[in-house]
Each structure stands twice: as C-alpha cells, then as structure tokens.
Amino acid sequence: MNWLRRDHSASKEDYMDRLDHLRKQCGPHVAAVAKDSVEGICTKIYHISAEYVRRIHQAHQALLKDCNVSDPEAADVQDRLVYCYPIRLALPSPAQPRVELHFENDIACLRYKGEMVKVNRSYFTKLELLYRYSSIDDPRFEKFLSRVWCLIKRYLVMFGAGVNEGTGLQGALPVPVFEALNKQFGVTFECFASPLNSYFKQFCSAFPDTDGFFGSRGPFLNFSPASGSFEANPPFSEELMDAMVTHFEKLLEKSSEPLSFIIFVPEWRDPLTPALHRMETSAFLRHQMSVPAFEHEYRSGSQHICKKEEMYYKAVHGTVIIFLQNAAGFAKWEPTPERIQELLAAYQVSRRALGSPGPSSAPTTLSPASAGGSGDKDSIAAKTAPERSASLDTSPARQDNSSSSNPVGKTTPPSETASV
Ligand SMILES: C[S@@+](CC[C@H](N)C(=O)[O-])C[C@H]1O[C@@H](n2cnc3c(N)ncnc32)[C@H](O)[C@@H]1O
C-alpha cells in the first residue's frame, strides 16, 4: 500500500515488478496457509463429480436398455490401422425428442421442455456443415436439432453457471495463425478442440458422445495417429498437459511415417511446468519460440455466443510454441526460418485485425454448399480463399496431408492414419 501511495506515476512495468515481488515474498506463506483447505475443497469437488458421473452412467445404461440397445462397452475393439474418420457411434440412436428452433436476429435459439440454449447463427451454420460431413446416420437432419441441443447443453454445463466461467479453458488460436499453420506446416487437425471452437473439421475433443456427430475423433489421449501434421493447444491443466507429452512421445517413437505436433502452451516457468520442461528436453524437439505476454491474443472461449468486440482477449502470459517431430515429420514439415517467420507474422495480422469486425459478420448466408461467404478475414472463410467453407472451418480436408487442398463440400476423405 505504501508503495502505491508513494508512486503515483508507476508504469505497467512497475506494477508488474511489484506484483512479482509480492508474489515471491507472500506467495509461499499464502500457499502454506491455504493448502489444506484448497486441497479439501478440490477433493470434495472430485468426489461429488465422480458420484455424478456414476449416476449419469447408470441413467445412460437404463436409457439404452429401455430402447433395446445392447451395452456399448461389450463391443470388441480391435487394435488395427485405419483411416481417420469421425467417431461413429457404433450404436443406433434411440428416438430423439423434438427440439424447437427460432432465430432472434443473429442468434439461433433452441428450445426443449421450456429450456432454451443459444448459439450465434454463424456457428449454427458451422455446426450444420460439420454435421453434414460427419453424421451419415442422419442424412435428412432429423436428429440435428436435438444433437445440437445436447452439444450446447454439455458445454454449458462444462463451462459452469457464472458469466464467462470456464471459458478460459476454451480459448483458441487466432484464425490467421491457423491459416499459417495449415499453409506453412500442412496442419489439418486440432488435438484439443470442441465443435464450437474447432478451426479444422478434424479434431479431438473431450466428449465423443455429443461431439462425434460433429466430427470429433474423441479425446486426444485415446487417439493414436500414425501420420499427419497436428496443432495442439490444450486446456491449461498441468496434469493433462503432462499426459499429452507422454502421448506425443509414445506416438513419435512408434511411427516412421511423417508425424508432427506443433504445440502451444503457456510459458509458465516459475515454477517450470513438467510438460514444458519435458518438451524442451525432448529428443523430438525441432524448434521452439515464445510469443510474449500482452503481445498476442486468444480467441474467446465463448466465441460461439459472444459479441464481436469480445472475440479476442490479450494473453496475460507468454505462449511457447514447440515443434515435436519424428525424422520423417521433420523432413516434410521442417520449421525453417521462412516458415517460422510466416507463423509469427500471422500473430501480427491477428493483432491488427483486433479492431475489425468479428463473428457477427460471419457467414450468416453461408450454406454447406456455398462456401466462402462474406466478412472479414478473421471471422469467416478468408475472402481470398473462397473455395473453403467457413472461417470456423476453413480447413481443406486432405487425402494425405499433402499440400493440395480439397474443397469442403465434397466427400470428406480420410486424412491422418490412426491406429485404434
Ligand atoms: C484451449 S482449447 C483449444 C481451442 C482450439 N481448438 C485451439 O486449438 O486453439 C482446448 C479444448 O480442448 C478440449 N478438451 C478438453 N479435454 C480434452 C481431451 N481430453 N481431448 C481433446 N480435447 C479436449 C476443451 O473442451 C477445449 O475445447
């Protein structure tokens, strides 16, 4: 307080230094005092969550039994190499309840049993596109609305009830950065995503049961690609990031096909996170660089429903970008100085675009057939890339991860090869 009273003209750097000083001085004492109660609260939350999971599982089994659908867990999964397709739910869906849809300006409102969930119209259109690619069991879209309702409801529950609660775990890379990853390094797949925040139409996500209809290949730790170029921006959970590194190393060791992971994690060095340390010392590390705090942005975790002026927020931490590649992956997608330059330049484009129109100018008229649409570079398919679908899904689907793009709207070909 004295310091604050004394120094009226302190700059942002002074405040940051002071905060750092306080953190070092007081941090250990606060941590020691709070440790027991924080651990107690976390343990309690863990047990309550586990109990809810058990009950949901029971209800799920009862529902399947009522509909005469046999136990999915009894299904035999073979360990073999297959082309990568969205997770198809091996079971027929029980009959779906009726969900009503109406639009309020640019917002799609879905109502079920008096309860309403909302998503921006452009994202509703994106979900239509993803569904068209992935849900071959429903070519007439008869189950589409109920599946969208379940999807949004699932993420609402995951986010939590408070304003902006939980969205921090869903922050995405800016669109120009994804474009550069695709163009420079042949990336066509996100290891951590949701149907709402995915840029590519191939991605892993936390919830195969709701997200599989929209292209998810399931949780990343259960996904074993043998080849391909992947982006990974995991939720900033130390345990998950650590498990992610173990998985990368295992996959890279196992495959002699070109395999590449470009990873974006917070630059947490005080203390250094195990995941970051392990990646920085990995035998597969080909390159790493940092983007400083406050000099780059993330796309909002509520991008599917937020206002356009809330679309980006400045990162309060540095982001480390790490390239883990096996030999064939390095030969194919080497992080050369020119490519790195283009990737970093994309962060600058994204910063300049901050003031530009956001998602509400996104492809409101975009139909699955009319790729491209209008709007700014960052919110929808780049004007310069009219052959693509939506900005939210500008990814060219690839036969083989080679550099030729495959326009959206045609049959989605298999891309990475995964062993399941
Ligand atoms: C930081 S966001 C990534 C946003 C965007 N897809 C990107 O790559 O920039 C992390 C995403 O991973 C999802 N997620 C959480 N657990 C996951 C898991 N086990 N496998 C795959 N995705 C997961 C979250 O729901 C969230 O959408």
Side-chain angles (χ1 to χ4, degrees):
M1 275 323 260
N2 280 343
W3 180 83
L4 273 180
R5 285 195 196 107
R6 257 199 338 261
D7 200 339
H8 295 291
S9 56
S11 65
K12 190 188 96 195
E13 284 69 31
D14 295 334
Y15 279 103
M16 297 309 287
D17 286 350
R18 189 67 193 166
L19 273 177
D20 197 40
H21 169 76
L22 288 176
R23 198 158 52 85
K24 284 194 181 117
Q25 290 294 313
C26 310
H29 303 289
V30 175
V33 171
K35 188 168 183 283
D36 282 353
S37 53
V38 170
E39 282 180 3
I41 294 169
C42 293
T43 310
K44 200 165 170 187
I45 293 174
Y46 172 80
H47 287 302
I48 293 173
S49 308
E51 174 57 20
Y52 275 117
V53 168
R54 199 185 58 75
R55 281 197 229 161
I56 291 170
H57 191 70
Q58 255 177 7
H60 182 70
Q61 294 294 328
L63 191 69
L64 290 177
K65 203 165 161 207
D66 286 352
C67 299
N68 285 330
V69 177
S70 57
D71 181 1
E73 276 155 31
D76 215 9
V77 180
Q78 288 174 11
D79 190 8
R80 64 196 161 89
L81 207 61
V82 294
Y83 281 117
C84 177
Y85 282 110
I87 286 214
R88 302 254 187 271
L89 302 178
L91 304 168
S93 295
Q96 303 279 303
R98 191 174 160 73
V99 170
E100 308 285 343
L101 168 72
H102 73 275
F103 287 94
E104 285 172 12
N105 299 319
D106 263 348
I107 297 181
C109 307
L110 289 87
R111 186 189 291 276
Y112 171 60
K113 284 193 178 169
E115 202 179 336
M116 187 124 82
V117 297
K118 297 181 177 185
V119 62
N120 283 345
R121 188 193 285 257
S122 54
Y123 285 78
F124 184 76
T125 305
K126 174 199 180 186
L127 291 176
E128 277 178 347
L129 288 174
L130 289 176
Y131 192 78
R132 189 174 294 273
Y133 294 129
S134 305
S135 287
I136 50 168
D137 72 329
D138 185 24
R140 294 170 60 179
F141 276 54
E142 285 158 346
K143 297 170 184 160
F144 175 66
L145 288 182
S146 55
R147 287 173 173 171
V148 173
W149 197 92
C150 289
L151 170 82
I152 296 173
K153 189 75 184 154
R154 174 67 60 82
Y155 279 94
L156 278 176
V157 172
M158 188 202 194
F159 287 165
V163 179
N164 291 333
E165 190 182 340
T167 56
L169 294 174
Q170 306 284 327
L173 302 184
V175 169
V177 175
F178 274 120
E179 287 174 339
L181 287 171
N182 174 250
K183 200 165 160 204
Q184 305 299 328
F185 300 100
V187 174
T188 56
F189 196 111
E190 280 152 279
C191 298
F192 295 92
S194 76
L196 298 168
N197 68 31
S198 70
Y199 171 85
F200 297 112
K201 57 179 174 284
Q202 308 185 99
F203 57 89
C204 282
S205 76
F207 307 119
D209 59 340
T210 50
D211 304 354
F213 301 114
F214 301 90
S216 170
R217 271 71 164 163
F220 178 63
L221 301 180
N222 297 349
F223 176 67
S224 299
S227 70
S229 180
F230 297 81
E231 173 266 357
N233 171 20
F236 297 166
S237 140
E238 291 201 31
E239 291 79 5
L240 181 53
M241 290 195 286
D242 199 35
M244 165 192 84
V245 179
T246 306
H247 196 53
F248 288 150
E249 299 252 327
K250 196 181 74 190
L251 297 174
L252 287 163
E253 259 157 34
K254 213 165 97 179
S255 177
S256 51
E257 303 284 316
L259 188 58
S260 166
F261 297 99
I262 307 177
I263 305 123
F264 298 74
V265 286
E267 184 145 33
W268 288 340
R269 296 194 179 279
D270 188 16
L272 182 62
T273 57
L276 183 51
H277 174 67
R278 289 177 60 205
M279 289 194 283
E280 288 182 327
T281 51
S282 167
F284 298 103
L285 178 72
R286 305 292 176 175
H287 185 75
Q288 79 173 84
M289 59 201 178
S290 294
V291 200
F294 301 105
E295 290 183 21
H296 66 295
E297 293 82 32
Y298 281 88
R299 210 168 152 92
S300 166
S302 35
Q303 57 172 287
H304 57 284
I305 191 64
C306 73
K307 298 191 185 112
K308 63 184 175 188
E309 58 274 18
E310 293 163 1
M311 182 51 93
Y312 282 97
Y313 61 93
K314 271 199 195 311
V316 293
H317 52 77
T319 295
V320 191
I321 307 175
I322 289 189
F323 291 73
L324 298 184
Q325 299 173 324
N326 64 7
F330 180 64
K332 190 161 181 182
W333 299 296
E334 182 184 346
T336 60
E338 299 74 31
R339 287 172 173 167
I340 294 294
Q341 192 53 41
E342 291 292 328
L343 180 56
L344 290 175
Y347 267 110
Q348 299 308 317
V349 171
S350 145
R351 289 182 71 202
R352 281 199 297 279
L354 261 180
S356 67
S360 60
S361 61
T364 50
T365 55
L366 184 76
S367 72
S370 70
S374 62
D376 65 289
K377 178 177 173 58
D378 195 53
S379 64
I380 61 157
K383 286 177 197 153
T384 51
E387 79 278 14
R388 295 185 182 171
S389 66
S391 71
L392 313 166
D393 178 23
T394 56
S395 63
R398 294 283 163 79
Q399 225 11 291
D400 60 357
N401 259 340
S402 67
S403 57
S404 67
S405 80
N406 180 31
V408 172
K410 302 203 171 144
T411 317
T412 308
S415 170
E416 289 73 25
T417 317
S419 74
V420 292

